Amino acid sequence: MKNYIQIDEWNIIENNFNPHHHKISESIFSLGNGRFGQRANFEEAYSGESLLGNYVAGIYYPDKTRVGWWKNGYPEYFAKVLNATNWIGVHVNINGEELDLANAEITEFSRVLHMKEGFLERSFIAKLKNGVQVKVKAQRFLSIADDEIGAIRYAITCLNQDANLIIHTPLDGDIANQDANYDEKFWVEIAKEYADDELYLTLETKKTAFQVCTASKVQFAKEGVLQHPQLAPIQREKYISSEVQFSLNKEEELVVYKYVAVVSSMNHPILELTSSAKNAIQRSCEKGFEKLLIEQEMAWAAKWKENDIVIEGDAAAQQGIRFNIFQLNQTYTGEDERLNIGPKGFTGEKYGGSTYWDTEAYCLPFYLATADEKVAKNLLIYRYKHLEKAIENAQKLGFKNGAALYPMVTMNGEECHNEWEITFEEIHRNGAIAFAIYNYIRYTDDTQYLADYGLEVLLGITRFWAQRVNWSEDKKQYVMLGVTGPNEYENNINNNFYTSYLATWCLEYTSEAIDFVKQNYSERFEQITAKTNFNAAEELAKWAHIRENMYFPKDEKLGIYLQQDGYLDKEQILVSQLAAEDRPLNQKWSWDRILRSCFIKQADVLQGLYLFEDRFDIDTLRRNFDFYEPRTVHESSLSPCVHAIIAAKLGDEKRAYDFYLRTSRLDLDDYNNDTEDGCHTTSMAGTWMAVVEGFGGMRVRDGLLNFHPFIPEKWKAFSFKIKFRGSLLNVKVHRQGIHIQNLSSRKVNVKVFDVVYEIEGQTQKEILLEKAA
């Protein structure tokens, strides 16, 4: 755990430069706008350790799988979201020496991510080896008002002497992915052009043939006066730049404005890429940096107005939740149903930037409550459009009759994860997608979605579960063998409680969905029946038999569900007994030692109890929580938020708060010693869940929003906004009770501490704790 980030409610602040923290900061201070994004690399050259990162949404490469022992069913490739053209460069040579903070004496340094306004600012004073003392102030942002545009303002002043400057402002496409399996570069050049002081570089991905055109134009101002210097083009393969020279007097400021457009064949015809980039450059130059920044601030103000969470009295907790919300809004806008949310967003390459089950389990609740309904719906339609690929994935593993196994990792619906214990065994991901359909309909009451899209997906998933279990003559029950649960520190286990319970629920929910669609959308039901060759009598009967006879491992003496068969055969050691030098286990222990231990990477049994809490009494929840939490090392970013929510439900204020703080500051404080690889973007939605579902106690039951809140001791109050079925509510929890303001025009009924309250449009309701009790 590191604590070099300064506490501030609205800003992420790094004072002083430590090269050992640099890659972590590159992740934390990343920028994005839903279309493209970048790590917080320096504009000027930097020869120290760094992870270069520029990413374009939806653009990927199928990197050939690399394994030591090939097994039937392995995917042929791992999809990589590609490191794309580096456009931020403002390389400065001063009196013959390159400005490079790795080789300079830094006397002042500050980096600030202005989350409220949506821009990154960095300033420093450094002394070069040639004696020149230079001051730089750099600002940049990726516009969410116009998502094809990025802009940089780079101001440089020589403090102690006159200086001659040579400035290069490149577009560098000669880029590699650090995680390339065979050290291959994934881009080929299509065209580059220098015209009217504008640079254009168009590259194409190998195999997938996506094209991206990056364009830039630079302007210069000396002491506020626009300059018109002669620019000289520099070109080589996959690289184009301009060179310009300036003479600066001591303490004279030169400002470099760099306007950039990034357009792709995802959104424009290939033959129109250059013209589209030119239009975007013209738009940006006509407005100028200051006006573009004002538009950015206004666009971010609109976002914060809808989904800010305010925590009074705890600046560290406030900073944490706003950082998480900021990154989520940078990563996914929901405007394009072809896109999804990678575990690292636009902050790093790890995990390939592809889609995991994290989206359905963690991100969907955030977008359901904070964005337009279509945003969450598009996340589900993304999976519907991949249904045929999911059926193909199942067929590769020997499943039949339209059974669908959604991939653990994907860009286009094909499985592209190449670790056998994940690819073949971590099949609970299928259930997460089914639960997301249920969760979406429960929240929105959009039953039309069930008929139009959802039922087909549910049928495929349920057919998979029905074939994946087998009858045990010994137990006289159905069992599920050879799986990996959410706890990836166990592989190839039998009867993982979470997977089996989720599968059984899927059988039940799909049966109910079939009946609902048949009764309410009969014509559509007949179409689905014909399309899927659904045999209602036979399949429903089989599913019912499995549900009624499913085996779940349990220890009656302890009164807990067992994570899997034989879990109690392991040596039962608590995390509190581990030496500090053993943590994190995945970086200190052999895999053999981890697999033989009782330690749990993330919520497993508790993940199931969280999803289906209404099916278990409070004592069952408490016994399982008190048993499993002390054995959980939380070395997955997805773990603390679930534990925070359950602890809150149990009234365990200390553990609920501790887990919330850990999930909200996971990257800011580098809890798991891996933030340098990128932020844990999908788990950030879990931070929102920890506040709203945990401390706010929000649930949807019987078509009503339910609240059962409490406040951590360190907080004076907290508030959040919720969109629900056309209404927008501001919910504030304070020491005396809960204040709900209906910001919409329509009436809404809510339940607080099990009492129903009617709140008319544009009115508010104050509910005191004594009255609620």
Side-chain angles (χ1 to χ4, degrees):
M1 178 178 171
K2 303 171 183 67
N3 58 359
Y4 70 93
I5 298 297
Q6 303 298 302
I7 301 298
D8 185 277
E9 293 188 351
W10 271 112
N11 301 298
I12 307 301
I13 303 169
E14 176 187 16
N15 288 323
N16 302 318
F17 181 66
N18 183 340
H20 299 295
H21 293 158
H22 182 52
K23 290 205 295 184
I24 299 170
S25 293
E26 287 180 325
S27 298
I28 291 172
F29 291 86
S30 293
L31 295 174
N33 66 3
R35 285 291 176 199
F36 64 104
Q38 61 185 200
R39 290 171 59 81
N41 309 123
F42 292 163
E43 288 87 359
E44 69 276 357
Y46 183 69
S47 59
E49 191 173 2
S50 173
L51 176 59
L52 187 66
N54 290 269
Y55 311 101
V56 183
I59 306 300
Y60 71 96
Y61 175 80
D63 199 9
K64 185 179 178 182
T65 296
R66 186 169 191 165
V67 293
W69 178 19
W70 187 271
K71 299 175 180 64
N72 288 334
Y74 260 163
E76 296 181 359
Y77 66 89
F78 188 85
K80 304 288 175 66
V81 169
L82 300 187
N83 198 349
T85 296
N86 180 20
W87 56 264
I88 67 170
V90 180
H91 297 168
V92 183
N93 184 289
I94 305 174
N95 286 352
E97 182 178 342
E98 187 78 17
L99 175 57
D100 179 349
L101 293 188
N103 298 316
E105 179 186 342
I106 303 170
T107 56
E108 293 182 21
F109 181 91
S110 175
R111 180 160 30 189
V112 182
L113 181 60
H114 296 269
M115 297 185 291
K116 189 174 184 179
E117 298 86 3
F119 71 95
L120 174 62
E121 183 173 54
R122 180 172 59 97
S123 59
F124 63 85
I125 295 176
K127 185 177 181 181
L128 305 188
K129 292 179 179 179
N130 61 16
V132 177
Q133 189 177 40
V134 61
K135 179 176 74 173
V136 169
K137 181 178 180 180
Q139 297 172 310
R140 77 174 185 251
F141 62 90
L142 277 59
S143 175
I144 63 170
D146 186 339
D147 63 12
E148 294 179 337
I149 289 174
I152 298 172
R153 183 186 188 276
Y154 193 91
I156 183 167
T157 305
C158 296
L159 298 177
N160 63 341
Q161 59 182 278
D162 300 344
N164 294 316
L165 275 61
I166 301 175
I167 299 174
H168 290 180
T169 54
L171 302 177
D172 186 359
D174 192 17
I175 298 297
N177 270 49
Q178 182 175 278
D179 65 351
N181 286 342
Y182 296 91
D183 299 323
E184 180 182 9
K185 292 186 177 180
F186 302 136
W187 295 95
V188 295
E189 181 182 311
I190 298 299
K192 56 179 175 279
E193 179 183 351
Y194 178 86
D196 300 323
D197 293 338
E198 297 172 4
L199 305 178
Y200 296 87
L201 179 63
T202 301
L203 304 180
E204 182 177 88
T205 59
K206 297 178 180 179
K207 295 184 181 179
T208 47
F210 293 109
Q211 288 194 14
V212 176
C213 178
T214 308
S216 70
K217 184 166 185 173
V218 289
Q219 296 175 346
F220 303 90
K222 187 186 288 188
E223 291 297 310
V225 179
L226 199 63
Q227 307 292 299
H228 301 281
Q230 183 68 38
L231 301 179
I234 299 174
Q235 302 185 41
R236 57 178 182 262
E237 185 181 4
K238 293 186 282 188
Y239 179 98
I240 186 167
S241 180
S242 61
E243 179 182 287
V244 63
Q245 299 186 30
F246 280 98
S247 294
L248 282 189
N249 297 324
K250 175 183 174 182
E251 296 187 346
E252 189 175 34
E253 182 185 69
L254 176 69
V255 177
V256 182
Y257 295 99
K258 187 172 185 178
Y259 303 101
V260 174
V262 179
V263 298
S264 80
S265 56
M266 287 278 291
N267 306 303
H268 297 278
I270 284 177
L271 295 179
E272 298 176 11
L273 282 181
T274 300
S275 61
S276 298
K278 182 179 288 288
N279 289 337
I281 288 293
Q282 290 176 348
R283 293 196 304 272
S284 61
C285 290
E286 286 172 3
K287 292 179 179 179
F289 186 88
E290 297 303 327
K291 186 173 181 180
L292 287 172
L293 183 55
I294 290 171
E295 290 180 352
Q296 176 81 339
E297 292 173 359
M298 292 173 62
W300 270 105
K303 283 190 176 292
W304 287 117
K305 185 177 180 180
E306 291 194 341
N307 54 36
D308 187 22
I309 288 179
V310 178
I311 297 173
E312 299 177 26
D314 190 341
Q318 178 68 87
Q319 183 184 45
I321 186 60
R322 282 188 173 139
F323 175 69
N324 284 259
I325 293 172
F326 179 78
Q327 290 291 350
L328 287 165
N329 281 325
Q330 287 198 128
T331 302
Y332 182 75
T333 65
E335 296 297 323
D336 191 337
E337 64 190 33
R338 298 169 299 173
L339 302 179
N340 208 279
I341 307 161
K344 296 296 182 186
F346 292 120
T347 72
E349 300 173 11
K350 193 173 181 180
Y351 304 121
S354 305
T355 303
Y356 286 65
W357 67 285
D358 309 19
T359 293
E360 286 77 22
Y362 296 87
C363 296
L364 184 76
F366 170 78
Y367 291 107
L368 271 174
T370 64
D372 291 338
E373 189 176 296
K374 70 173 184 179
V375 174
K377 187 174 183 177
N378 278 345
L379 287 173
L380 297 182
I381 290 176
Y382 174 90
R383 292 294 195 179
Y384 173 78
K385 290 189 171 182
H386 290 172
L387 177 58
E388 291 306 314
K389 289 289 187 182
I391 293 172
E392 290 179 16
N393 292 335
Q395 288 174 342
K396 291 175 182 178
L397 301 183
F399 294 88
K400 302 175 181 178
N401 190 35
L405 175 59
Y406 276 89
M408 187 67 181
V409 181
T410 193
M411 285 296 296
N412 64 358
E414 290 182 298
E415 177 64 77
C416 61
H417 197 289
N418 53 27
E419 296 175 16
W420 66 269
E421 68 275 14
I422 307 298
T423 306
F424 302 152
E425 296 192 342
E426 198 165 344
I427 53 178
H428 66 82
R429 69 219 189 213
N430 243 18
I433 293 167
F435 190 86
I437 294 171
Y438 162 76
N439 204 12
Y440 169 80
I441 295 169
R442 174 176 62 175
Y443 197 93
T444 64
D445 198 33
D446 180 11
T447 58
Q448 185 70 51
Y449 174 83
L450 183 63
D452 290 346
Y453 305 102
L455 184 56
E456 286 187 62
V457 174
L458 291 171
L459 273 172
I461 290 172
T462 302
R463 283 170 161 172
F464 171 82
W465 291 127
Q467 295 176 48
R468 186 59 173 78
V469 300
N470 65 273
W471 180 258
S472 166
E473 282 296 332
D474 178 60
K475 289 182 170 61
K476 302 300 181 185
Q477 288 179 290
Y478 287 96
V479 295
M480 193 177 302
L481 310 178
V483 301
T484 296
N487 172 26
E488 293 171 338
Y489 289 176
E490 301 273 9
N491 298 152
N492 200 35
I493 58 176
N494 295 334
N495 300 308
N496 171 254
F497 170 78
Y498 173 70
T499 306
S500 295
Y501 197 92
L502 189 57
T504 305
W505 172 85
C506 285
L507 300 175
E508 176 186 333
Y509 179 58
T510 302
S511 300
E512 293 172 355
I514 288 167
D515 184 62
F516 180 86
V517 174
K518 183 178 181 180
Q519 295 297 324
N520 295 276
Y521 301 94
S522 58
E523 185 176 344
R524 175 60 179 150
F525 179 75
E526 293 302 324
Q527 293 172 352
I528 294 171
T529 298
K531 179 179 179 181
T532 61
N533 295 314
F534 177 58
N535 186 325
E538 181 180 320
E539 294 189 63
L540 288 171
K542 182 178 180 181
W543 300 348
H545 193 258
I546 295 171
R547 293 201 317 267
E548 294 162 5
N549 295 278
M550 192 69 184
Y551 166 70
F552 302 108
K554 189 174 183 179
D555 186 273
E556 298 293 345
K557 183 177 179 180
L558 294 173
I560 62 169
Y561 292 102
L562 293 181
Q563 184 175 268
Q564 75 265 356
D565 284 349
Y567 179 78
L568 291 180
D569 291 336
K570 293 171 176 283
E571 184 180 8
Q572 296 298 312
I573 306 173
L574 303 186
V575 174
S576 60
Q577 297 172 272
L578 283 171
E581 56 266 26
D582 284 337
R583 304 287 304 279
L585 300 185
N586 57 24
Q587 297 175 27
K588 301 297 180 65
W589 282 16
S590 69
W591 196 242
D592 168 74
R593 189 178 180 188
I594 289 174
L595 290 176
R596 288 187 289 106
S597 79
C598 71
F599 296 119
I600 301 168
K601 181 183 180 184
Q602 67 193 80
D604 196 304
V605 170
L606 297 182
Q607 183 80 24
L609 300 188
Y610 157 68
L611 291 181
F612 302 107
E613 62 177 10
D614 291 342
R615 298 184 173 209
F616 302 96
D617 61 51
I618 198 73
D619 290 334
T620 298
L621 189 60
R622 180 173 284 107
R623 285 194 303 271
N624 281 274
F625 187 76
D626 288 343
F627 179 82
Y628 284 109
E629 191 284 317
R631 292 162 171 79
T632 303
V633 291
H634 304 289
E635 289 174 8
S636 165
S637 63
L638 302 175
S639 187
C641 62
V642 172
H643 286 79
I645 295 167
I646 296 176
K649 182 178 177 66
L650 295 173
D652 189 335
E653 189 269 342
K654 184 184 185 305
R655 282 196 284 187
Y657 176 79
D658 288 348
F659 285 129
Y660 162 75
L661 204 63
R662 177 167 181 156
T663 189
S664 70
R665 301 192 62 83
L666 185 77
D667 291 309
L668 293 177
D669 295 336
D670 194 21
Y671 267 89
N672 289 347
N673 198 33
D674 61 358
T675 302
E676 66 178 34
D677 297 325
C679 292
H680 299 81
T681 306
T682 47
S683 74
M684 289 176 170
T687 305
W688 178 92
M689 291 161 57
V691 174
V692 176
E693 296 184 16
F695 302 125
M698 192 189 86
R699 305 290 190 273
V700 177
R701 296 189 178 102
D702 301 322
L704 291 180
L705 282 175
N706 287 244
F707 298 97
H708 200 288
F710 81 98
I711 306 179
E713 183 179 349
K714 293 187 177 182
W715 299 2
K716 296 178 181 178
F718 68 98
S719 62
F720 52 90
K721 291 185 174 69
I722 292 295
K723 289 186 173 184
F724 182 70
R725 301 187 182 183
S727 297
L728 176 62
L729 303 179
N730 184 62
V731 180
K732 182 173 183 178
V733 180
H734 51 86
R735 292 293 172 191
Q736 289 72 43
I738 179 170
H739 181 92
I740 302 178
Q741 183 179 11
N742 187 352
L743 301 172
S744 59
S745 58
R746 59 186 299 173
K747 179 180 70 176
V748 63
N749 291 330
V750 300
K751 185 179 284 189
V752 181
F753 294 113
D754 300 321
V755 178
V756 177
Y757 296 89
E758 183 180 279
I759 306 176
E760 296 288 345
Q762 302 299 328
T763 65
Q764 48 197 332
K765 178 78 69 174
E766 184 78 24
I767 304 165
L768 301 179
L769 287 178
E770 296 83 358
K771 182 179 179 181

